[in-house]
Amino acid sequence: MPRQKSERFIVPIGPQHPALKEPGHFEFTVEGEVVTNATARLGFVHRGMEKGAESRTWTQDLYLMERVCGICSHVHSMAFVLGVEKLANVQAPPRAQAIRELVAELERIHSHILWLGVAAHEGGFDTLFMFSWRDRETVMDLLETISGNRVNYSANVLGGVKVDINERQKDELLRGMDFLEERTRHYLKVVTEDDTFLGRTRNIGVMTFEEATRLGAIGPTGRASGLLRDVRMDSPYAGYPDFPIQIVTAKAGDLEARFVVRIKELFESYRLVREIVEKIPSGDLTTKIPRRIPEGETVSRVEAPRGELFYYIKSNGTDRPERVKVRTPSLCNCASVLTTAIGHKLADMPMILAGIDPCFSCNDRMVVLNGPAGQSLWDWEKLRQYGIEYYKK
Amino acid sequence: MNNPIQNVMEKIKTWARTNSPWAIHFNSGSCNGCDIEILATLTPRYDVERFGIKLQGSPRHADVLICTGPVTLQARDRLVRIYEQMPEPKFVVAVGSCSISGGVFDGCYNVVGDISEVIPVNVYVPGCPPRPEAIIYGIEQLLKTLQP
Ligand code: SF4
């Protein structure tokens, strides 16, 4: 029998696809079941926010920046206010800083549990998805009692925060943390002991320490490969100098390690929330900040749930910024997916993709273009017409 | 439509449609806030499946298109295509302030505008983001209008 010629297929995924809730387009070249090449085309949610920021005032921008991403909205506004405060040479009062950190950690809890659920769902483990999302509602309730909204809390204002916590909310926070801690312990057990699940995570999508360094992986994705990188520790901001964190890392660099790192970070966040609730300094919530920000430029970095978030802000002395540049963690981690994907089965792709916790709405303020396009080109109109005709029959 | 058999068929179809609408979700430029709330409606606390509403992947199987976010230049063609791929009769629910007016993104250079500038919308759910209860209520309102 003649040897079978190896067949190469390109499997396009997206932009509308059931696995991820956001539009992103991926093309995987497969030989049989094995992926040999992967490319991404992002930019479907590009809205032009950086440019938009230039035509809005500093205060309006705060609300715009919060909506760069709904999952990690607080860290975006935090990076922005910290930068603007630095430019204006204003320091928010200690209580405000602590509340900023508190909300940031609550947001991290919500984001990590959300990720746990989505990643489990990609792995076909829907029970874990449902359970973790049920428990996530606890932290959503806490965020709602503190800020009044479940998503996009807008807790920050320039020069401080606009929400405070009282004794009753403190009680609720402590009770919520106790409940979540117990549940999280259970999840840790599930992801490290459940055989079926381990079959999909252990030694899958391995990224070694060297590779992680080379690709510049950040956040939990990098920490799962042993990279000691966390802005909260490297250059503490907001309340973090007073309430420091302990960094969590793992060695293996596979999907399991990414699960474990994120879950262990949850424990760290619970501890921080408790500590802040107990020792929150008293005092004012805001300080005065001028409407026109003095001329200058600054860089502000914070640790988002997915990794380092970077803001560059330039002011020309008016009530509007001259330039705001945002670089989000998902963008840095995108390269790592495309590299680790090669050599794996197509069925593992959703898990590997979910492994970095991609967040396209953050990402897509910029456009990344695909390499050489497919051979047979159809223009859009023709394809649409074909689709309509085909399904009429 | 005077044919009695057709009448009965229509009734059965409406009954099926209102008792188990299948929905598809497309994000045409939202900030994710609305999307996670839509996802939250599937989870145990809200659990839309008790109304027979099911979120699934292919536009070919969907009755209801749930849109979030303003429409960006890049996503516009996709949105139209997904809408055209859905079988008749089809309904559109626009979730979130962005999909109603462009929200905070109104005026950004890559934003075409709200959903209704691209495809017809049946129900709007305001909020930034709307609570899961509000989203469920919105879909229920849509189902009510379908009742004979
Ligand atoms: S309405 Fe609000 S939460 Fe929804 S997509 Fe727009 S900005 Fe995000």
Side-chain angles (χ1 to χ4, degrees):
Chain A
M1 225 171 89
R3 264 176 70 210
Q4 229 175 357
K5 213 171 87 230
S6 75
E7 294 241 21
R8 289 171 76 220
F9 279 104
I10 295 181
V11 182
I13 300 183
Q16 191 277 329
H17 50 131
L20 294 164
K21 296 296 160 216
E22 297 164 79
H25 178 86
F26 294 89
E27 271 177 13
F28 295 110
T29 314
V30 291
E31 263 173 53
E33 270 273 323
V34 179
V35 175
T36 55
N37 195 9
T39 52
R41 178 178 180 279
L42 306 170
F44 287 100
V45 228
H46 174 82
R47 287 152 294 190
M49 296 178 71
E50 287 174 11
K51 192 77 195 157
E54 291 163 21
S55 59
R56 290 165 166 76
T57 63
W58 293 101
T59 316
Q60 286 171 333
D61 274 338
L62 182 57
Y63 298 98
L64 182 66
M65 284 312 158
E66 188 154 37
R67 282 158 181 81
V68 167
C69 170
I71 302 180
C72 37
S73 57
H74 181 72
V75 286
H76 278 277
S77 70
M78 189 149 77
F80 185 72
V81 289
L82 287 174
V84 176
E85 282 167 13
K86 220 190 287 171
L87 278 177
N89 220 346
V90 171
Q91 186 88 42
R95 189 176 175 90
Q97 301 284 27
I99 291 179
R100 277 180 188 168
E101 181 179 351
L102 177 77
V103 179
E105 287 307 319
L106 286 174
E107 185 176 73
R108 191 178 318 275
I109 296 171
H110 121 70
S111 173
H112 278 3
I113 300 184
L114 174 139
W115 173 82
L116 175 69
V118 173
H121 171 72
E122 307 301 358
F125 196 173
D126 263 355
T127 324
L128 183 57
F129 168 57
M130 290 295 176
F131 270 124
S132 55
W133 276 61
R134 184 199 65 188
D135 298 337
R136 178 175 160 273
E137 290 296 331
T138 317
V139 63
M140 299 306 275
D141 284 347
L142 292 175
L143 283 167
E144 195 180 4
T145 38
I146 291 178
S147 73
N149 206 1
R150 287 162 52 93
V151 182
N152 297 339
Y153 331 103
S154 70
N156 284 314
V157 287
L158 295 175
V161 291
K162 66 171 149 198
V163 298
D164 199 1
I165 54 170
N166 57 26
E167 291 306 316
R168 199 172 57 82
Q169 285 162 338
K170 282 185 186 172
D171 271 356
E172 268 174 47
L173 277 167
L174 292 179
R175 233 176 307 132
M177 290 306 115
D178 288 342
F179 171 73
L180 285 171
E181 183 152 18
E182 192 195 312
R183 295 298 305 168
T184 312
R185 220 168 271 135
H186 174 66
Y187 295 140
L188 187 60
K189 211 170 130 217
V190 171
V191 301
T192 51
E193 284 175 17
D194 189 279
D195 272 341
T196 4
F197 201 58
L198 280 182
R200 304 228 38 195
T201 57
R202 192 164 275 175
N203 294 329
I204 305 274
V206 182
M207 183 163 56
T208 58
F209 178 78
E210 289 73 32
E211 245 178 329
T213 321
R214 185 172 64 82
L215 296 169
I218 49 171
T221 315
R223 290 197 281 274
S225 301
L227 275 187
L228 271 177
R229 236 179 237 170
D230 192 322
V231 187
R232 290 174 292 168
M233 202 178 69
D234 300 341
S235 68
Y237 51 92
Y240 289 100
D242 302 327
F243 303 99
I245 62 133
Q246 274 146 24
I247 195 165
V248 182
T249 57
K251 288 247 155 51
D254 56 358
L255 274 174
E256 187 197 357
R258 288 175 209 158
F259 273 94
V260 172
V261 163
R262 283 201 175 84
I263 291 182
K264 290 206 173 139
E265 275 183 13
L266 281 175
F267 290 119
E268 202 38 40
S269 298
Y270 301 150
R271 184 187 65 77
L272 267 181
V273 170
R274 288 205 187 101
E275 200 179 313
I276 297 172
V277 166
E278 264 154 40
K279 302 201 202 127
I280 187 164
S282 54
D284 282 343
L285 289 179
T286 49
T287 45
K288 262 212 153 66
I289 191 160
R291 199 164 62 84
R292 286 172 203 285
I293 304 296
E295 218 169 299
E297 50 186 349
T298 185
V299 159
S300 108
R301 301 189 303 154
V302 300
E303 180 80 11
R306 289 157 184 76
E308 175 193 332
L309 172 67
F310 170 101
Y311 264 65
Y312 164 83
I313 303 164
K314 185 169 180 206
S315 166
N316 52 8
T318 57
D319 59 350
R320 278 143 219 256
E322 181 164 312
R323 177 81 173 97
V324 181
K325 163 79 193 132
V326 188
R327 200 219 49 197
T328 57
S330 296
L331 180 65
C332 303
N333 282 334
C334 215
S336 77
V337 183
L338 300 180
T339 322
T340 47
I342 293 168
H344 283 288
K345 295 227 171 78
L346 190 61
D348 287 329
M349 283 310 116
M351 283 289 270
I352 292 179
L353 263 183
I356 63 157
D357 197 355
C359 175
F360 294 116
S361 85
C362 292
N363 240 325
D364 280 1
R365 292 153 307 88
M366 71 175 311
V367 185
V368 183
L369 279 184
N370 204 352
Q375 271 72 31
S376 62
L377 280 176
W378 273 29
D379 68 6
W380 194 242
E381 273 309 308
K382 208 169 146 198
L383 186 66
R384 179 185 292 165
Q385 214 44 47
Y386 176 78
I388 294 171
E389 297 298 324
Y390 183 87
Y391 276 91
K392 243 183 210 155
K393 283 177 229 157
Chain B
M1 220 197 293
N2 298 325
N3 187 339
I5 298 181
Q6 253 176 3
N7 271 342
V8 174
M9 279 311 286
E10 275 313 308
K11 267 192 195 138
I12 294 177
K13 275 193 207 156
T14 314
W15 170 81
R17 204 170 286 134
T18 50
N19 279 297
S20 179
W22 282 19
I24 178 179
H25 162 222
F26 184 67
N27 164 349
S28 58
S30 95
C31 80
N32 263 348
C34 287
D35 309 74
I36 50 179
E37 293 296 62
I38 288 177
L39 212 53
T41 59
L42 299 178
T43 54
R45 183 181 288 184
Y46 302 104
D47 192 20
V48 282
E49 271 183 40
R50 69 204 146 108
F51 300 120
I53 302 170
K54 186 166 173 257
L55 203 64
Q56 48 76 59
S58 167
R60 303 273 183 212
H61 302 157
D63 305 307
V64 182
L65 174 61
I66 303 179
C67 293
T68 55
V71 183
T72 63
L73 278 175
Q74 285 226 28
R76 179 179 54 193
D77 286 346
R78 300 285 167 168
L79 181 62
V80 173
R81 180 150 167 76
I82 286 173
Y83 182 73
E84 282 175 355
Q85 280 176 336
M86 287 167 59
E88 292 280 353
K90 46 196 165 191
F91 310 96
V92 178
V93 179
V95 171
S97 321
C98 290
S99 59
I100 297 175
S101 64
V104 278
F105 306 118
D106 193 29
C108 288
Y109 70 84
N110 214 30
V111 170
V112 184
D114 51 285
I115 303 275
S116 66
E117 280 178 30
V118 182
I119 53 174
V121 178
N122 297 82
V123 174
Y124 292 98
V125 183
C128 181
R131 297 182 54 92
E133 289 96 330
I135 299 175
I136 298 175
Y137 180 73
I139 298 180
E140 212 204 295
Q141 291 300 307
L142 172 72
L143 297 183
K144 257 192 210 146
T145 62
L146 302 186
Q147 298 283 8

